[in-house]
Amino acid sequence: MKRILLSAAAVATLFAAAVPADPLQRPAMQSPVAAQRLLLAVTRVGERLVAVGPRGHVVVSTDAGTSWQQAEVPVSSDLTAVHFANDKLGWAVGHDGVVLASSDGGMTWTKQLDGRAVNDLILADVRAKLAADPQSPELLALVAEAERYSEQGPDKPFLDVWFENETHGFVVGAYNLLLETTDGGQTWASWFDRAENPRFMNLYSIRPAAGGLYIAGEGGTVLKLDPVARRFASVSVDYGGSLFGIADAGDAVLVFGLRGNAFRSADGGATWTRIDTRLPATIVSATRMDHGEIVLADQGGRIAVSHDGATSFDLIPRKRSLPLTSIAYAGAERLAATGPFGVTVVAPDAPR
């Protein structure tokens, strides 16, 4: 018995040595039930659906959600968001500062960036700017924060990604992480000093709306891109709770977050009106349907829809409500939804 136990221990040791502990070096494991386990974000890619989640799992459906295939992913870091610029080119981001890219509609992915490179990039950028302006209090604070990030290692997640086209995009994340690319992710530039975010609040979402580009974040943070100054300026919403997402309501922008709170602006962020979403729990996601309807989902599984540009909302009854992490329009008046039991495609009933 002793000899058998020693052999088992030796096998376990060899197996552990063969599988890298670092999720940045360990490819995502293939699982036949990946589409039925926790997933965090979903998007529509032409006629496809692509969803991402923990341990580097990415699943793709080419038949409107009837069946799913797991993609090949070079890391096992948790993935938090996914966005496609067209039917083929897409990006996913997540923990450990990971940025992944796909050129085949989500079936295979390559790593463009990770937290180690992100830390080096940010620190080099702010140090160079401090050298040119050594008395700047803002730059001194940024360098101190960037040095702390570097010491802590690649532990900070990206939380959202958005691309304007095939080459120009942004990623945002924890503690003011903000990067831009103009070549499809081949190279990235730090915007750590180009966000009016002196408390280094988490940046949860970046999306265009009503002709502007907005970031929503922790502690009521809302930033809007000034394209001339090439920086994100703070926008006052008069709300101290975290805002997790942004919806484009045509001629208005909607930001939403904790405890069903949402705020609408029809004047480029100058003034905001609190909207009754009919949702009692934290709103986690939004999508826009074919005819311009805005759909919101909260973490308790409730869904609300607006037919008037996010001015008012009606609850959509569901036969079975399960926790949700994200939704996306799936075409044909259906919604793709992710949560602890994977991704499903549903056809909501008419609003109450």
Side-chain angles (χ1 to χ4, degrees):
M1 177 65 70
K2 182 176 180 181
R3 184 173 300 171
I4 294 175
L5 290 175
L6 287 173
S7 298
V11 170
T13 301
L14 289 172
F15 180 77
V19 179
D22 185 351
L24 293 172
Q25 298 179 358
R26 185 174 67 246
M29 292 184 63
Q30 292 291 310
S31 168
V33 294
Q36 287 82 50
R37 297 295 183 262
L38 175 63
L39 291 168
L40 300 176
V42 61
T43 191
R44 186 183 182 193
V45 185
E47 296 304 314
R48 294 185 175 202
L49 295 169
V50 180
V52 303
R55 300 178 298 281
H57 284 177
V58 178
V59 294
V60 180
S61 175
T62 60
D63 54 12
T66 301
S67 63
W68 295 85
Q69 294 176 271
Q70 187 176 352
E72 297 179 14
V73 178
V75 300
S76 55
S77 302
D78 293 349
L79 301 177
T80 58
V82 58
H83 177 76
F84 277 73
N86 56 38
D87 289 0
K88 296 295 184 182
L89 294 177
W91 289 263
V93 297
H95 287 239
D96 309 307
V98 161
V99 179
L100 305 176
S102 174
S103 60
D104 60 4
M107 288 309 305
T108 60
W109 296 80
T110 59
K111 186 179 73 171
Q112 289 189 332
L113 204 58
D114 62 34
R116 298 183 183 91
V118 171
N119 287 339
D120 292 345
L121 183 68
I122 292 173
L123 186 55
D125 180 69
V126 291
R127 277 179 172 172
K129 290 172 179 174
L130 181 64
D133 187 9
Q135 302 305 315
S136 168
E138 179 187 3
L139 287 171
L140 286 168
L142 289 169
V143 167
E145 195 72 2
E147 288 175 342
R148 188 169 68 87
Y149 293 179
S150 184
E151 292 170 0
Q152 292 171 341
D155 63 340
K156 295 168 183 61
F158 284 117
L159 301 171
D160 202 10
V161 53
W162 173 77
F163 269 70
E164 177 185 17
N165 50 43
E166 296 180 1
T167 57
H168 183 221
F170 290 92
V171 292
V172 300
Y175 305 109
N176 198 48
L177 291 185
L178 175 57
L179 303 179
E180 179 198 36
T181 181
T182 58
D183 57 12
Q186 298 304 307
T187 60
W188 293 86
S190 169
W191 277 48
F192 195 57
D193 62 327
R194 300 191 199 182
E196 196 174 340
N197 185 18
R199 294 186 293 164
F200 302 100
M201 292 293 192
N202 295 331
L203 305 178
Y204 293 121
S205 179
I206 180 168
R207 282 295 182 272
L213 182 61
Y214 293 85
I215 294 174
E218 180 186 11
T221 297
V222 176
L223 308 174
K224 182 182 180 182
L225 177 65
D226 181 336
V228 177
R230 284 181 55 76
R231 63 182 291 114
F232 283 89
S234 178
V235 174
S236 177
V237 183
D238 192 25
Y239 173 67
S242 290
L243 297 166
F244 296 115
I246 302 154
D248 183 359
D251 61 352
V253 55
L254 186 77
V255 295
F256 53 83
L258 286 174
R259 297 181 294 278
N261 281 292
F263 302 84
R264 181 182 188 273
S265 176
D267 55 11
T271 60
W272 296 82
T273 301
R274 185 188 294 268
I275 301 299
D276 181 5
T277 64
R278 309 281 303 278
L279 299 173
T282 294
I283 304 172
V284 294
S285 187
T287 192
R288 187 168 178 169
M289 301 177 76
D290 278 342
H291 301 293
E293 303 95 333
I294 305 298
V295 182
L296 302 177
D298 75 10
Q299 63 182 10
R302 290 164 286 263
I303 297 175
V305 60
S306 173
H307 299 276
D308 57 9
T311 299
S312 64
F313 284 85
D314 294 302
L315 286 175
I316 298 177
R318 301 185 67 197
K319 294 178 181 178
R320 184 186 182 199
S321 292
L322 295 172
L324 295 176
T325 55
S326 77
I327 56 171
Y329 184 52
E333 302 302 313
R334 296 169 305 161
L335 297 172
T338 58
F341 302 104
V343 56
T344 57
V345 175
V346 296
D349 297 330
R352 293 173 183 166

